[in-house]
Amino acid sequence: MSADDVLALVREDLRDFAGYSSARSSRLQGEVWLNANESAWANPADADATCRRYPDPQPEALRAALADLYAVAPERLVVGRGSDEAIDLLVRATCEAGRDAVLVTPPVFGMYAVSARLQGAPLLEVPLLDDPGQGLVPDFAAIARAAGGGGAKLVFLCSPSNPGGQAITLDDIAALARALEGRSLVVVDEAYAEFSDLPSATTLLQAHPNLVVLRTLSKAHALAAARIGAAIADPALAGVLRRCQAPYPVPTPCAALAVAGLSPQARAATAARIAQVRSERARLAAALARLSGVRRVYPSQGNFLLVRFEDAQAAFDALLGAGIVVRDQRAAPALGDALRITIGTPEQNARVLSVLSALRPSTAVPPGMSDAAGGGGR
Ligand SMILES: *Cc1c(COP(=O)(O)O)cnc(C)c1O
């Protein structure tokens, strides 16, 4: 499959779209810049006068730092406001409203469906399979069938998956990309890749131009408020996505913080935090699995655990009563008894455990029993 075939997956009306021609993207040289209606003087709050001018649309130092971090060529990168922006760009650049579909694998991160809805792209859902040993895993045969039959331009895989926590092997990703070659882009959202035992899918990009990998500094790199994420894609596709972006998507203070946050010292600190999260994850998972009110702890490759409870409402309320807020997953199909708990500090995890161990054995009435009792008139 060549780059031309990948561009064939872009919306026809956007294939030669040049995007906004910003003051920073023109190739002019000079010393006195009077072309962008910027202020000639700095704001007093802007001590080092770094914010007086519009930023480089793809700040060079940040691009270089991310290319090094992910071991990819800079021309494959689209840097933006979190991976959320990358998701939105992919949907807008490839899906024609009312025609081209987006395929998702629920229960999964909600932004894929939100972006599809905003674009008017039909949503195809192929639920994850609940394997007693492995946890929530994609049904690859059903995905390939549904994507082909339903005209999906985009197939979103989440690895490690939020909220399930399971990661997908490179063999499975490569096989799906091959099966959908020329028809769909396979997007692997690796927001939690740093916490996983499995390698990143970036090594497959060369062989599979219809593959896109999403990464973010929001989770393992502890920079959620800086809003820095990236799509890593075929260079020609990356060019299209950049042209679809807002004119100056990366604020200068955010880029500066991200570059500092990727210094060798900062990366060493990140590696230490990741190691701590992984050991706390193992400890918390084992301890939770021993509690009487816990039905199941899914094996997780992320910085969170998906846990099924005998009485999820009681667990949620008890945690909230102790000031601990966890994610209620019960609205998700097939997770009617589940909460997602982020791995915290050892002290925070100990608090979670102490609250949940104090839960009294469930007195909840099994579903349907109260109705049956009422309806039966006894
Ligand atoms: C948190 C999360 C993101 C969002 O990342 P940002 O870079 O902060 O936009 C993307 N995908 C998944 C699966 C997430 O859980």
Side-chain angles (χ1 to χ4, degrees):
M1 183 179 188
S2 73
D4 287 351
D5 299 321
V6 175
L7 290 184
L9 295 174
V10 169
R11 267 166 52 190
E12 202 175 351
D13 55 320
L14 290 183
R15 263 171 229 162
D16 50 13
F17 176 55
Y20 174 67
S21 172
S22 75
R24 282 287 160 274
S25 52
S26 56
R27 299 258 172 271
L28 300 172
Q29 288 301 315
E31 315 160 35
V32 182
W33 291 92
L34 301 177
N35 68 333
N37 298 348
E38 296 148 334
S39 168
W41 301 272
N43 186 296
D46 181 19
D48 51 2
T50 51
C51 288
R52 181 167 71 83
R53 294 194 181 285
Y54 284 106
D56 182 344
Q58 297 281 284
E60 204 42 54
L62 179 56
R63 237 157 80 89
L66 292 172
D68 180 60
L69 179 68
Y70 301 132
V72 297
E75 55 271 22
R76 289 189 179 276
L77 281 174
V78 183
V79 186
R81 290 163 296 188
S83 26
D84 288 335
E85 185 184 18
I87 293 163
D88 191 57
L89 284 171
L90 282 162
V91 175
R92 281 195 291 150
T94 61
C95 294
E96 219 168 280
R99 195 187 72 183
D100 303 318
V102 170
L103 188 148
V104 299
T105 58
V108 77
F109 187 56
M111 278 309 294
Y112 318 132
V114 168
S115 290
R117 172 99 187 259
L118 285 168
Q119 179 65 9
L123 190 71
L124 303 174
E125 297 189 300
V126 179
L128 295 172
L129 301 173
D130 200 346
D131 179 275
Q134 292 177 271
L136 295 166
V137 294
D139 182 347
F140 291 103
I143 291 171
R145 232 176 7 251
K153 282 285 191 74
L154 291 171
V155 172
F156 281 100
L157 299 177
C158 192
S159 175
S161 168
N162 175 9
Q166 285 69 59
I168 305 171
T169 67
L170 296 195
D171 284 350
D172 284 338
I173 292 167
L176 186 66
R178 206 175 306 116
L180 295 177
E181 209 173 274
R183 285 188 290 173
S184 319
L185 291 176
V186 174
V187 184
V188 186
D189 184 343
E190 296 188 339
Y192 303 97
E194 292 88 346
F195 304 105
S196 175
D197 294 331
L198 297 193
S200 168
T202 46
T203 55
L204 301 175
L205 290 168
Q206 191 76 42
H208 300 280
N210 64 328
L211 195 63
V212 179
V213 174
L214 305 182
R215 301 294 298 254
T216 179
L217 300 186
S218 295
K219 307 285 163 52
H221 291 274
L223 292 174
R227 309 301 304 126
I228 303 290
I232 309 172
D234 173 86
L237 178 64
V240 170
L241 297 177
R242 284 193 294 264
R243 290 193 291 279
C244 291
Q245 249 180 324
Y248 308 98
V250 184
T252 295
C254 297
L257 179 61
V259 168
L262 295 175
S263 71
Q265 303 92 299
R267 277 169 70 167
T270 296
R273 288 194 308 273
I274 292 166
Q276 193 174 25
V277 165
R278 288 167 52 96
S279 84
E280 281 295 298
R281 180 179 72 197
R283 194 179 70 85
L284 189 60
L288 286 170
R290 284 194 294 269
L291 298 183
S292 61
V294 169
R295 282 186 180 148
R296 183 167 177 198
V297 181
Y298 283 83
S300 175
Q301 298 285 338
N303 66 340
F304 52 84
L305 293 169
L306 182 67
V307 186
R308 288 184 180 278
F309 290 90
E310 295 294 336
D311 185 346
Q313 183 71 55
F316 186 86
D317 292 345
L319 288 166
L320 198 57
I324 301 166
V325 186
V326 299
R327 185 66 172 243
D328 189 349
Q329 295 291 158
R330 287 176 297 161
L335 292 181
D337 56 359
L339 304 178
R340 190 195 66 197
I341 305 174
T342 304
I343 306 298
T345 64
E347 297 71 31
Q348 291 167 346
N349 303 333
R351 272 176 70 181
V352 167
L353 272 178
S354 100
V355 171
L356 293 178
S357 357
L359 271 183
R360 285 181 301 118
S362 172
T363 51
V365 181
M369 285 295 279
S370 53
D371 280 351
R378 283 171 287 151

